[in-house]
């Protein structure tokens, strides 16, 4: 899962990034509203953490632009303000939730998980994603079937998670690169091919009936 943090307080943004990365999220940071909006409109994020008070473009304007472009990505507003009017304005502008600074780490993570569940990113309260005979634990990065289990590397996990969440469509290589490495990454198609190869070996190791099929010239799709 990829999260965008739009926060101008550099130390707070870095702290949020550290917390989220420790919990197996991919994190990008923008320190002003304009760059934050540009990143958000790439539509590669599963959740956005958005501060209201931002330079160049305030958070409410960023949020309104995100919704005006038709993006339904869950947005959690971060604000130091306690006034009810600010919270109402944010929710009316399309925010999914809000959290006032300073906040507790566990509460932040719980709210992020809740927004993921609303979007269907996490399959159940045990943080498990299932497809065919495989189960992917999003907390431990463990891949299992009734016949075996194995731990995935973070990038292997991110790729399998993406394929499961897009199980009914062909995942294009370009989309996978943007999602896993970022839209400004220098990663190439062969990076995806390498990790697909790793995953195929691990699916075989746990004796799964699930396979990663190649759609020539396009990308990949999971099949049972």
């Amino acid at each position: 899962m990829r999260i965008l943090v739009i926060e101008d307080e550099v130390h707070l943004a870095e702290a949020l990034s550290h917390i989220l990365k420790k919990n197996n999220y991919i994190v990008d940071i923008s320190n002003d509203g304009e760059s934050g909006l540009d990143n958000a409109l790439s539509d590669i994020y599963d959740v956005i953490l958005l501060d209201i008070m931002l330079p160049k473009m305030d958070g409410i304007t960023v949020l309104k632009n995100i919704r005006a472009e038709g993006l339904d990505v869950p947005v959690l507003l971060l604000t130091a303000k306690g006034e009810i009017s600010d919270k109402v304005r944010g929710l009316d502008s399309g925010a999914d939730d809000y959290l006032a600074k300073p906040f507790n780490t566990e509460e932040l993570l719980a709210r992020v998980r809740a927004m993921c569940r609303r979007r269907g990113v996490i399959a159940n309260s045990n943080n498990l994603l299932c497809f065919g005979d495989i189960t992917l634990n999003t907390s431990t990065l463990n891949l299992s079937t009734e016949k075996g289990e194995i731990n995935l590397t973070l990038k292997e996990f991110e790729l399998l998670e993406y394929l499961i969440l897009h199980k009914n469509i062909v995942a294009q290589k370009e989309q996978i690169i943007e999602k896993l490495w970022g839209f400004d990454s220098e990663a190439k198609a062969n990076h995806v091919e390498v990790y697909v190869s790793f995953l195929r070996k691990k699916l075989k190791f746990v004796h799964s009936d699930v396979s990663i099929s190649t759609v020539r010239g396009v990308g990949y799709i999971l099949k049972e």
Side-chain angles (χ1 to χ4, degrees):
M1 282 190 48
R2 195 173 201 98
I3 295 179
L4 174 62
V5 176
I6 308 177
E7 168 60 63
D8 65 318
E9 296 180 36
V10 176
H11 293 303
L12 176 57
E14 293 294 340
L16 287 170
S17 176
H18 178 72
I19 291 167
L20 293 167
K21 286 179 179 178
K22 280 186 63 178
N23 285 270
N24 301 320
Y25 297 106
I26 311 169
V27 183
D28 293 323
I29 296 174
S30 295
N31 294 126
D32 65 75
E34 287 185 358
S35 65
L37 178 60
D38 286 342
N39 286 343
L41 294 182
S42 68
D43 198 22
I44 64 172
Y45 297 100
D46 299 293
V47 173
I48 295 175
L49 306 186
L50 174 62
D51 187 26
I52 287 184
M53 302 297 292
L54 291 168
K56 297 186 179 180
M57 182 184 296
D58 67 87
I60 298 298
T61 302
V62 171
L63 178 57
K64 288 180 177 179
N65 277 278
I66 290 172
R67 296 305 184 223
E69 291 296 322
L71 302 185
D72 63 353
V73 55
V75 175
L76 174 64
L77 284 181
L78 304 176
T79 175
K81 294 186 175 181
E83 293 86 351
I84 294 297
S85 59
D86 290 312
K87 298 172 183 177
V88 171
R89 191 161 61 103
L91 293 171
D92 284 345
S93 297
D96 295 85
D97 202 353
Y98 63 85
L99 193 59
K101 304 174 189 176
F103 44 78
N104 178 274
T105 297
E106 291 305 316
E107 182 180 6
L108 169 69
L109 292 172
R111 288 175 185 260
V112 168
R113 289 193 298 269
M115 289 195 295
C116 291
R117 286 195 294 271
R118 288 176 212 157
R119 209 182 192 202
V121 174
I122 296 177
N124 55 45
S125 59
N126 294 320
N127 293 344
L128 302 179
L129 281 173
C130 301
F131 178 82
D133 62 354
I134 63 173
T135 298
L136 181 63
N137 190 309
T138 63
S139 295
T140 65
L141 313 190
N142 181 268
L143 170 66
S144 63
T145 66
E146 292 183 352
K147 300 175 183 178
E149 63 179 77
I150 192 171
N151 273 21
L152 304 181
T153 66
L154 181 57
K155 196 61 69 179
E156 291 168 349
F157 159 76
E158 291 165 356
L159 176 56
L160 184 55
E161 179 190 48
Y162 185 82
L163 292 173
I164 292 175
L165 296 175
H166 297 80
K167 56 184 178 289
N168 296 319
I169 61 175
V170 176
Q172 298 180 19
K173 287 183 181 180
E174 292 79 6
Q175 294 172 333
I176 293 172
I177 290 171
E178 287 184 354
K179 191 71 172 181
L180 272 62
W181 282 275
F183 59 88
D184 57 351
S185 169
E186 296 182 359
K188 305 296 182 183
N190 66 303
H191 288 76
V192 180
E193 293 164 7
V194 167
Y195 281 99
V196 166
S197 176
F198 291 160
L199 274 181
R200 283 172 171 159
K201 292 176 181 177
K202 292 195 173 180
L203 287 168
K204 184 177 181 180
F205 179 85
V206 297
H207 305 287
S208 175
D209 295 326
V210 171
S211 63
I212 304 174
S213 293
T214 300
V215 179
R216 191 172 298 278
V218 183
Y220 304 95
I221 188 169
L222 280 185
K223 290 188 177 180
E224 297 183 53

